[in-house]
Amino acid sequence: MTALTLSTAGAATLRADAIVVGVAKGAKGPVLAPGAEAVDKAFDGKLASVLETLGASGAEGEVTKLPVLSGLKAPVLLAVGLGPVPEKDATYGAEPLRRAAGVAARALSGVKKAAFALPVEASEDVEAIAEGALLGAYAFTAYQGGEKKGDGPKQPLGEVALLGAKPRDKAHKAAAERAIALTEEVNRARDLVNTPPNDLTPESFAAVATAAGKENGIKVQVLDEKALAKGGYGGILGVGQGSANPPRLVRLAYTHPDAEKTLALVGKGITYDSGGISLKPAGHNETMKCDMSGAAAVFAAVVTAARLGLAVNVTGWLALAENMPSGTATRPGDVLRMYSGKTVEVLNTDAEGRLVLADALTRASEENPDAIVDVATLTGAMVLALGNRTFGIMANDEAFRTSIHEIAEEAGEASWPMPLPADLRKGMDSPTADIANMGERMGGGLVAGLFLKEFVGEGITWAHLDIAGPAFHEGAPYGYTPKGGTGASIRTLVKLAEHTAAGNLG
Ligand code: BES
Ligand code: MN
Ligand code: ZN
């Protein structure tokens, strides 16, 4: 992991391999952001015009690197674009700072130490820059460079020194510590998503959760296939029965003595989704190791809550299974008896996420939490609706749905509220069972949400996050988002836990 320090040193005197400054897009060209003053001095006050000559405009995502000939200890300067200059009296928002820090950190991979001299006014800025830098400095290299040492890919930036942040200021220190805990867990979740499915099975995922639980004072219980059969978890077993890697249900419980509320988080953990007997065609299965991103997000959120010592109880449920076709697999036409007692006719074995989630939602409901949030890479329909960067929020409580949308915005994550139209329920009527696992094709993301709703305990506030779009990024990296697993929704879940601890919800 990349190290982070808050430094009181001046930009001119700190020893580092590179120094990062911010440049914004002004009406008449690039404008240096606050924090760059000492660096500008080393350029005789002409840094903005030097950058302009080099073609910089200050646009978001832009990187300009130049050598430093004198006046600074750092031999290289990196100017990162912040986007438009803020309105008068406004500051740079958290998300532009987070993204710029991420861009800079990515552009400095292979470098040992960099000083970040970006605009810091409040502890929120410290947090945003730290988060962005530590999320940007991520690389998944576990499977590369095997033959010869030194052949491997570049390592992420080794150390980030934040200038302008005050190490003795309580709020600044807390902001940095929060950013470190949160980003370590987001990056661990990314690792889990990126780990190939021949190595990340329900069993090995459960082992990772068990070890992390021990380390962080979280109680962990794992139901294996025998315990699942004994408990009547027909949904999880039905999805997992075609695989040589049997399913698991993991319960993680973080508790705090002063907690007044309990939040239950439920994650879809399909370690590989082949579609099962309703096999996905080529072109639709290469990235399906990402289908456990919901469980990875829930795992990360519970561990982060524990590391931050939040005054709220957070229970995490990881519904882990591998969806494979075989002679023992569930067939289209089979009827499963779910943990709730309801029967489900499986019309399409590729609609498996809702089956494992249903059992976990019923089980989570038994403990009567104050709210349940499930997270899942559930439907391609949600990707069609909202694109690759925005997750959908559905809920049985409009106020809760709105709160989550606002909290996501605060956390710097794109989301959008979606409805659960009652008329779509009849499409899941089954002539044989209580409900079918598929309904109308149109509005498929909402149909899936309506299915889940039936497995939430009476009177329990519930929301469903469909992260199928943003969980896995196939394009070129941008901001602090790498290729592959992104850790989508984790920052939202952690903020939700913080707001719940602070008594801001319900
Ligand atoms: N895991 C997929 C959804 C998905 C699609 C995740 C694209 C990430 C990217 C899910 O299990 C699935 O296959 N859903 C089907 C449901 C359908 C059969 C009702 C879908 O969306 O096509
Ligand atoms: Mn599927
Ligand atoms: Zn799936």
Side-chain angles (χ1 to χ4, degrees), residues 124-209:
E124 286 79 16
D125 305 328
V126 174
E127 197 165 321
I129 296 165
E131 268 182 29
L134 296 175
L135 291 176
Y138 170 82
F140 184 68
T141 56
Y143 291 80
Q144 289 168 327
E147 277 178 26
K148 269 188 265 154
K149 266 207 173 131
D151 254 9
K154 275 190 195 170
Q155 291 303 306
L157 171 61
E159 183 183 344
V160 172
L162 284 196
L163 306 184
K166 305 183 198 81
R168 275 191 210 89
D169 180 314
K170 261 196 184 154
H172 284 202
K173 219 177 124 195
E177 278 166 8
R178 180 187 183 277
I180 291 168
L182 173 61
T183 57
E184 280 182 2
E185 295 314 322
V186 171
N187 287 338
R188 169 157 51 187
R190 290 170 169 181
D191 280 347
L192 287 169
V193 174
N194 291 330
T195 299
N198 54 334
D199 282 345
L200 192 85
T201 61
E203 187 182 10
S204 72
F205 193 159
V208 171

Side-chain angles (χ1 to χ4, degrees), residues 100-357:
V103 168
R106 278 195 295 107
L108 292 167
S109 66
V111 170
K112 279 216 180 76
K113 177 174 178 179
F116 279 54
L118 292 171
V120 172
E121 291 223 1
S123 64
E124 286 79 16
D125 305 328
V126 174
E127 197 165 321
I129 296 165
E131 268 182 29
L134 296 175
L135 291 176
Y138 170 82
F140 184 68
T141 56
Y143 291 80
Q144 289 168 327
E147 277 178 26
K148 269 188 265 154
K149 266 207 173 131
D151 254 9
K154 275 190 195 170
Q155 291 303 306
L157 171 61
E159 183 183 344
V160 172
L162 284 196
L163 306 184
K166 305 183 198 81
R168 275 191 210 89
D169 180 314
K170 261 196 184 154
H172 284 202
K173 219 177 124 195
E177 278 166 8
R178 180 187 183 277
I180 291 168
L182 173 61
T183 57
E184 280 182 2
E185 295 314 322
V186 171
N187 287 338
R188 169 157 51 187
R190 290 170 169 181
D191 280 347
L192 287 169
V193 174
N194 291 330
T195 299
N198 54 334
D199 282 345
L200 192 85
T201 61
E203 187 182 10
S204 72
F205 193 159
V208 171
T210 303
K214 244 189 211 144
E215 226 172 87
N216 293 286
I218 296 163
K219 195 175 157 201
V220 185
Q221 290 159 304
V222 180
L223 298 189
D224 64 12
E225 69 272 31
K226 276 196 198 123
L228 289 167
K230 209 167 154 214
Y233 292 85
I236 297 174
L237 285 168
V239 172
Q241 73 189 37
S243 170
N245 300 304
R248 296 285 183 268
L249 177 64
V250 179
R251 176 182 185 271
L252 299 153
Y254 161 66
T255 54
H256 189 283
D258 303 330
E260 283 173 6
K261 301 268 179 183
T262 298
L263 195 57
L265 307 177
V266 175
K268 170 177 174 181
I270 301 299
T271 56
Y272 183 69
D273 182 12
S274 71
I277 298 292
S278 315
L279 195 63
K280 284 182 189 294
H284 291 262
N285 52 24
E286 294 85 347
T287 59
M288 278 304 141
K289 66 176 180 181
C290 81
D291 216 19
M292 35 55 72
S293 297
V298 164
F299 168 54
V302 177
V303 176
T304 307
R307 287 180 63 168
L308 299 177
L310 302 183
V312 53
N313 298 327
V314 187
T315 311
W317 298 91
L318 318 181
L320 307 175
E322 187 179 42
N323 188 22
M324 293 290 273
S326 78
T328 62
T330 292
R331 317 155 186 79
D334 280 357
V335 173
L336 304 176
R337 184 170 294 276
M338 308 293 278
Y339 182 69
S340 75
K342 241 190 221 241
T343 55
V344 178
E345 183 180 12
V346 178
L347 293 180
N348 189 323
T349 63
D350 199 10
E352 83 297 340
R354 64 198 73 182
L355 298 172
V356 300
L357 287 171

